[in-house]
């Protein structure tokens, strides 16, 4: 049977978790606005965006509520309520498992699990009136939330090179490994060449190639049938005011513009970008230096490997050409 995951938690993290749990049980939830579901691959900007949304008064936020790892809040609850899946990949579920997943997801949208979330700035009388879920590495959930709930669904993408370097630095595992072990069951989602590349890359020990493959496979599944609103991390970083005005305010109805812009102006709490040099670059408005910094950590051979994988999976949003301007070609779409 597929297994759940394990991760370690520091003493300070445990203390913060206990404090958050105590406060969470005091919040009263009364839905007055459509929920928001922020979806991305790891290190794709989801924490930055979820933090920006949750800074608004009355927003109850849940961080990775579908990640079933013992270092995450509510592990026992999630282990009991969700079907077991390797790397928490709830994909191609049986009918009874899908019912189980749906019941849990709809409970989240009603803030029914206080141990899984918190409200940073409650309204008077400790009231929250909107839910924001941050969901990672969940390729099929975009369509599910869009089709089965009234939530605003916000998918985010980021250059795979930048994401890969960040994930490798964290020494995390890869969800694509779970898909690779299930190709006999889910292989119909990929071409023969794509299936062959998945098998070949996972047999090797090139972690860079595996990280890019992880991006490619999940992205290939990520946007199946859903292209209404896809926002690029690079567009948010280079023009945060546009993102706040056109998406968070105009489309989602959030109102605290100054607070949201202030949140976007600093590294997110999950980032290792808290180096003084990065903070200074943000303050100086040198966002391009931050976006392209990953290129100094890779070789031409690594770029070629990355491009071959993107080509095989027909991903054209980004490429690995050694041209810094190429990373920021206009997306051609309204945010």
């Amino acid at each position: 049977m597929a297994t759940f995951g394990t991760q370690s938690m520091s003493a300070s993290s445990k203390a913060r978790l206990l404090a958050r749990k105590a406060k969470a049980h005091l919040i009263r939830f009364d839905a007055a606005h459509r929920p928001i579901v922020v979806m991305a691959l790891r290190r794709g900007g989801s924490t930055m965006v979820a933090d920006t949304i949750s800074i608004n008064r009355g927003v109850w936020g849940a961080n990775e509520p579908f990640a079933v790892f013992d270092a995450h809040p509510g592990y026992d609850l999630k282990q009991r309520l969700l079907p077991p899946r390797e790397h928490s990949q709830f994909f191609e579920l049986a009918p009874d498992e899908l019912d189980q997943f749906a019941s849990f997801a709809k409970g989240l949208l009603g803030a029914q699990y206080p141990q899984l979330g918190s409200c940073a700035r409650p309204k008077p009388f400790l009231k929250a009136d909107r839910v924001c879920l941050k969901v990672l590495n969940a390729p099929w959930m975009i369509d599910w939330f869009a089709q089965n709930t009234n939530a605003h669904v916000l998918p985010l993408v980021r250059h795979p090179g930048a994401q890969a370097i960040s994930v490798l630095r964290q020494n995390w595992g890869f969800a694509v490994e779970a898909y690779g072990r299930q190709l006999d069951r889910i292989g119909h989602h990929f071409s023969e060449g794509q299936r062959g590349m998945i098998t070949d890359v996972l047999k090797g020990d090139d972690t860079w190639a595996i990280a890019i493959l992880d991006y490619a496979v999940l992205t290939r599944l990520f946007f199946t049938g859903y292209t209404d609103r896809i926002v690029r991390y690079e567009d948010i970083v280079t023009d945060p005011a546009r993102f706040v005005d056109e998406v968070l305010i105009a489309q989602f109805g959030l109102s605290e513009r100054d607070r949201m812009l202030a949140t976007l102006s600093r590294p997110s709490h999950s980032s290792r970008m808290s180096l003084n040099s990065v903070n200074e670059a943000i303050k100086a408005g040198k966002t391009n230096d931050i976006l392209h910094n990953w290129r100094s950590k890779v070789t031409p051979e690594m770029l070629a490997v990355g491009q071959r994988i993107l080509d095989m999976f027909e991903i054209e949003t980004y490429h690995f050409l050694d041209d810094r301007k190429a990373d920021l070609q206009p997306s051609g779409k309204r945010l």
Side-chain angles (χ1 to χ4, degrees), residues 124-314:
F125 309 107
L126 292 177
K127 179 182 176 182
D129 58 8
R130 183 171 216 167
V131 165
C132 176
L133 306 181
K134 170 190 154 185
V135 181
L136 297 186
N137 282 22
W140 70 278
M141 286 190 200
I142 292 178
D143 289 342
W144 188 89
F145 275 103
Q147 295 166 6
N148 294 280
T149 76
N150 72 332
H152 293 290
V153 181
L154 180 59
L156 305 173
V157 295
R158 184 185 183 186
H159 196 290
Q163 275 191 237
I165 290 294
S166 189
V167 169
L168 290 171
R169 187 184 297 133
Q170 302 289 342
N171 198 30
W172 288 331
F174 300 102
V176 70
E177 294 168 344
Y179 290 97
R181 285 188 279 270
Q182 302 177 60
L183 276 181
D184 56 338
R185 186 168 63 87
I186 67 169
H188 60 280
H189 291 282
F190 305 102
S191 70
E192 181 178 354
Q194 291 166 353
R195 292 193 298 271
M197 178 168 278
I198 292 172
T199 301
D200 292 342
V201 172
L202 290 179
K203 282 181 179 177
D205 58 2
D206 184 346
T207 55
W208 165 261
I210 295 173
I212 302 302
L213 181 71
D214 192 72
Y215 177 98
V217 168
L218 291 176
T219 297
R220 186 70 183 170
L221 297 170
F222 215 156
F223 303 115
T224 302
Y226 187 89
T227 57
D228 291 354
R229 182 194 299 112
I230 298 173
V231 177
R232 301 195 312 169
Y233 170 88
E234 292 82 4
D235 293 329
I236 298 174
V237 172
T238 54
D239 196 350
R242 182 186 176 202
F243 171 67
V244 168
D245 292 339
E246 292 189 8
V247 178
L248 302 186
I249 294 176
Q251 298 181 30
F252 296 171
L254 297 168
S255 60
E256 300 190 45
R257 186 177 190 272
D258 290 344
R259 282 184 177 273
M260 290 191 285
L261 285 173
T263 302
L264 285 175
S265 71
R266 56 181 181 266
S268 68
H269 72 259
S270 76
S271 179
R272 293 183 63 177
M273 288 170 48
S274 54
L275 299 171
N276 288 335
S277 58
V278 175
N279 281 307
E280 290 303 316
I282 290 174
K283 292 176 183 178
K286 297 179 179 179
T287 51
N288 282 353
D289 292 346
I290 300 170
L291 293 177
H292 303 300
N293 183 52
W294 67 272
R295 287 192 177 275
S296 65
K297 301 174 174 63
V298 298
T299 65
E301 291 76 18
M302 292 168 69
L303 294 174
V305 167
Q307 190 60 54
R308 282 198 299 272
I309 294 173
L310 294 194
D311 288 344
M312 176 59 74
F313 288 87
E314 301 175 352

Side-chain angles (χ1 to χ4, degrees), residues 82-96:
L82 285 166
R85 281 294 183 275
E86 186 179 6
H87 288 286
S88 300
Q89 294 300 300
F90 304 104
F91 183 63
E92 298 266 318
L93 298 177
D96 60 326

